[in-house]
Amino acid sequence: MLIFNIFNILYSFIISIITLITLLISIAYFTLAERKIIASVQRRLGPNVVGFWGLLQPLADGLKLVIKEIIVPRFSNKLLFFFSPFLTLILSFCGWVIIPHSLDSYIIDLNLSLLYTLVISALGVYGILLAGWSSNSKYALLGGLRSVSQMISYEVSIGLIIIPILLLSNSLNLIDIVFIQAQSVWYIFPLFPLAIIFFISILAETNRSPFDLPEAEAELVAGYNVEYSSIIFAMFFLGEYGNILLMSSLFVIFFLGGWDFMGFNSEFIFSLKIILIVFLFVFVRAN
């Protein structure tokens, strides 16, 4: 029994490391794909200098952020100022702990994984609020309040949309939700209007266009992260794009049958569905 428990812990640790590395690489090249897609829509070239077809551009951007100087406002709360981006990034990664990539590929199988997802999403508000307040800047504070109010507002709609999914699946387990769709029908067909509302809600939850008012570049410069620079700004950046991928995976699980496609179960199928939803994120911004 002891050897079995040690094996389970080691297996979960390895899966966690693989998931984290894959997530960081996905976020890096998601930014490149976004810039390429928007450039194509606007009839531009996009990044094409650093590496073949610009494939090394995310690495160059990351290096640039790391070597830049960290500037801390003189009258800010130093502890909370540095803690806020860490909190945002960690919570973004914590959401992936219960995401099932296939029937046998997941880190933790929680019976209340759907509730866990809502809790992690709600806690993400604190990183943004603390960042705006600890900067001791009126612009950062106003940007933080606007972001928090928008996120809380659309969490209500997300919670209400999840109720019909819960009633249809009779489970709070994400694996069970996918499994029931594989046995019957994807929920996007009977719940198509709710799927549209859920997509709009996750656009607002992640502060994406056209719900990017909290950034308010015209009047608040950049919103809650206006005083951040270098690697601590990159943490907000990684957290934001990590949340986009997380919300896209939840959309796939709730409405598109997760890893299932015509009886075939694969992580590759799950990834393709996430790419489809992420493309919709970028396409909405481009237009």
Side-chain angles (χ1 to χ4, degrees), residues 11-233:
Y11 176 78
S12 297
F13 177 76
I14 294 173
I15 293 296
S16 301
I17 296 299
I18 294 174
T19 302
L20 178 60
I21 295 174
T22 304
L23 180 59
L24 290 173
I25 295 174
S26 300
I27 291 173
Y29 282 94
F30 172 28
T31 61
L32 177 63
E34 180 179 37
R35 295 168 69 179
K36 283 286 189 180
I37 293 171
I38 293 176
S40 178
V41 171
Q42 298 174 350
R43 302 183 66 85
R44 296 184 290 106
L45 292 177
N48 64 343
V49 176
V50 185
F52 175 73
W53 206 58
L55 291 177
L56 297 180
Q57 186 66 49
L59 302 180
D61 293 338
L63 178 62
K64 179 185 70 174
L65 286 170
V66 169
I67 63 178
K68 278 183 173 292
E69 180 184 1
I70 298 177
I71 300 175
V72 182
R74 179 182 301 177
F75 300 106
S76 64
N77 186 314
K78 305 297 189 299
L79 177 61
L80 294 180
F81 186 82
F82 284 99
F83 174 72
S84 301
F86 277 105
L87 179 63
T88 300
L89 184 62
I90 290 172
L91 289 176
S92 174
F93 290 160
C94 284
W96 287 91
V97 171
I98 46 83
I99 296 296
H101 308 99
S102 68
L103 190 59
D104 301 316
S105 178
Y106 50 82
I107 298 176
I108 298 177
D109 181 16
L110 291 177
N111 290 329
L112 301 177
S113 53
L114 184 56
L115 185 61
Y116 173 88
T117 302
L118 293 176
V119 170
I120 291 297
S121 176
L123 289 175
V125 170
Y126 289 98
I128 293 175
L129 183 61
L130 290 175
W133 181 82
S134 63
S135 297
N136 197 26
S137 166
K138 66 178 77 173
Y139 302 108
L141 179 60
L142 288 174
L145 292 176
R146 291 173 66 159
S147 296
V148 168
S149 61
Q150 178 170 295
M151 292 176 67
I152 292 176
S153 299
Y154 284 92
E155 279 174 7
V156 175
S157 64
I158 290 175
L160 292 176
I161 292 168
I162 288 175
I163 293 176
I165 298 173
L166 171 61
L167 295 176
L168 286 174
S169 59
N170 196 28
S171 174
L172 286 169
N173 188 296
L174 296 180
I175 297 178
D176 291 343
I177 293 173
V178 175
F179 187 70
I180 291 171
Q181 290 181 76
Q183 290 182 326
S184 55
V185 64
W186 293 357
Y187 288 157
I188 193 172
F189 297 111
L191 302 177
F192 182 74
L194 291 183
I196 299 298
I197 298 173
F198 185 81
F199 180 73
I200 295 172
S201 298
I202 60 178
L203 278 176
E205 181 72 10
T206 53
N207 291 335
R208 294 286 293 185
S209 179
F211 301 97
D212 54 351
L213 289 177
E215 294 182 1
E217 294 180 355
E219 63 268 27
L220 298 180
V221 186
Y224 63 90
N225 56 11
V226 64
E227 301 292 347
Y228 285 85
S229 60
S230 186
I231 189 64
I232 52 177
F233 169 79

